[in-house]
Structures are given as structure tokens and as C-alpha cells.
Amino acid sequence: MATAVCPGSFDPVTNGHLDIFARAARSFSRVIVAVGFNPTKANRHLFTLEERLEQLRQATREFANVEVDSFSGLIIDYCAEVGARSIVKGLRSAKDFDYELPMAHMNYELTQVDTVFLATSPRWSFLSSSLVKEVASLGGDISEFVPPFIADQLYSRTGQGLEGEES
Ligand code: PNS
């Protein structure tokens, strides 16, 4: 059984992430979406770890071979723990590639874990959790970019309320 780990902060999960999970789930028999700790973003998370895990569980419910978990420490140690030989990452642009490649090299050098890059669907090549949060916080329409229940949570967390609702 080939297991792959899809790591990230997922604050919150977007349709771009979901597209990558779905495609990873077609190539691997078991996919673990793992929420990791990124110190550079730690103080800026809109949703708690528990909230992000619950969002991911709900958003991936339809995928039979996708699980949701969290990890702290090195991703390679987590991969060893769950028996994964591959990490799957989505690439939106050359900028993502420049950021991801040294980590992929380091992870391979340390434990021979492979990083499999999937080119993001062009439809989502501009999409990021940060942009979605910014648009939501200013009252813009994010319905195309995240599942409806995440949009509701974003509007209420950023103080925008739901569309048409008085606040
Ligand atoms: O979505 P993000 O914020 O880019 O996710 C980053 C995360 C948490 C997946 C990444 O920072 C990570 O894997 N951290 C674990 C620590 C680690 O293994 N660092 C060395 C990488 S070579």
C-alpha cells in the first residue's frame, strides 16, 4: 500500500488544496493530509489547529482513501511514523518550485523520501489561503474558492458576517 503525505498549514483549506488531494488520491492508495507547524506563520493563523483539522475532515469526507492528521517536528519523521515514502505538493508557479525544491532535496538527502510535485490546475494557480482570507475579511465573494461551510466560517471569523445578514 503506497502512502503519501500532503503537508501544509491549510488555514483554511481551499479548492486548490482539495484538487491536489483528489489527484493524489488517484495515484496513491492512502493519502494523509497532515497539518504541520510553520513557525513563520504560527502567530498569524486565523483558525486553530483543531478547527483546521475539522475543516479538512469535513472537506475530504468524500475521499475514501484520504485521512487527516497533524504533526510537529520534521515532516520526514512523520513520514517514517506513518510509513510514507512520498510527500505530495502542489505547484502553482515557479516561485512555489523555488521554495519547495530545496526542501525536497533536503528531505530526500536525509531519508530518501520522494517529493512528488503536481502542477496545480490552471484554474487555481492564483489561489492561496492568504488571498482568500484577505478577500473574505474585506467582504468579497470567495464562494468560488472554498467549500461553502468554509466560506461561512471565514466570514464569521473575519467579522464580515454572512452575505445578506446584518451584523
Ligand atoms: O502550507 P505551508 O505553511 O507552506 O506548510 C508548511 C509545512 C508545515 C508543511 C512545512 O513548513 C513543514 O513541512 N514543516 C515541518 C518541518 C520540517 O520538516 N522542516 C524541514 C523541511 S526541509
Side-chain angles (χ1 to χ4, degrees), residues 7-9 36-38 41 71 73-75 89 99 103 106-107:
S9 299
F37 178 74
N38 182 345
K41 294 182 181 173
F71 72 98
L74 289 173
I75 182 67
K89 294 267 184 140
Y99 174 72
M103 292 197 284
M106 176 62 86
N107 288 333

Side-chain angles (χ1 to χ4, degrees), residues 43-114:
N43 297 328
R44 294 187 281 123
H45 289 318
L46 186 61
F47 296 103
T48 66
L49 173 63
E50 268 317 311
E51 287 170 334
R52 284 177 279 149
L53 288 170
E54 190 43 45
Q55 290 169 342
L56 284 163
R57 284 188 201 107
Q58 199 171 329
T60 60
R61 201 167 273 168
E62 70 190 81
F63 305 124
N65 59 337
V66 175
E67 301 164 29
V68 174
D69 197 6
S70 63
F71 72 98
S72 54
L74 289 173
I75 182 67
I76 49 170
D77 290 339
Y78 179 75
C79 288
E81 196 183 303
V82 296
R85 297 178 62 103
S86 304
I87 295 168
V88 172
K89 294 267 184 140
L91 289 184
R92 291 165 297 191
S93 65
K95 188 169 166 239
D96 280 352
F97 183 71
D98 287 345
Y99 174 72
E100 296 289 348
L101 190 62
M103 292 197 284
H105 283 152
M106 176 62 86
N107 288 333
Y108 182 76
E109 202 59 29
L110 290 171
T111 57
Q112 285 72 60
V113 163
D114 282 315

Side-chain angles (χ1 to χ4, degrees), residues 91-166:
L91 289 184
R92 291 165 297 191
S93 65
K95 188 169 166 239
D96 280 352
F97 183 71
D98 287 345
Y99 174 72
E100 296 289 348
L101 190 62
M103 292 197 284
H105 283 152
M106 176 62 86
N107 288 333
Y108 182 76
E109 202 59 29
L110 290 171
T111 57
Q112 285 72 60
V113 163
D114 282 315
T115 299
V116 177
F117 292 122
L118 294 178
T120 304
S121 161
R123 184 168 178 209
W124 306 125
S125 62
F126 61 92
L127 190 56
S128 67
S129 299
S130 311
L131 271 185
V132 167
K133 282 184 282 194
E134 183 173 334
V135 173
S137 72
L138 297 170
D141 181 3
I142 52 166
S143 57
E144 202 189 325
F145 311 129
V146 291
F149 78 94
I150 302 256
D152 291 349
Q153 291 181 18
L154 272 163
Y155 287 129
S156 79
R157 184 60 54 93
T158 58
Q160 287 300 321
L162 302 181
E163 212 173 307
E165 195 178 80
E166 286 182 31

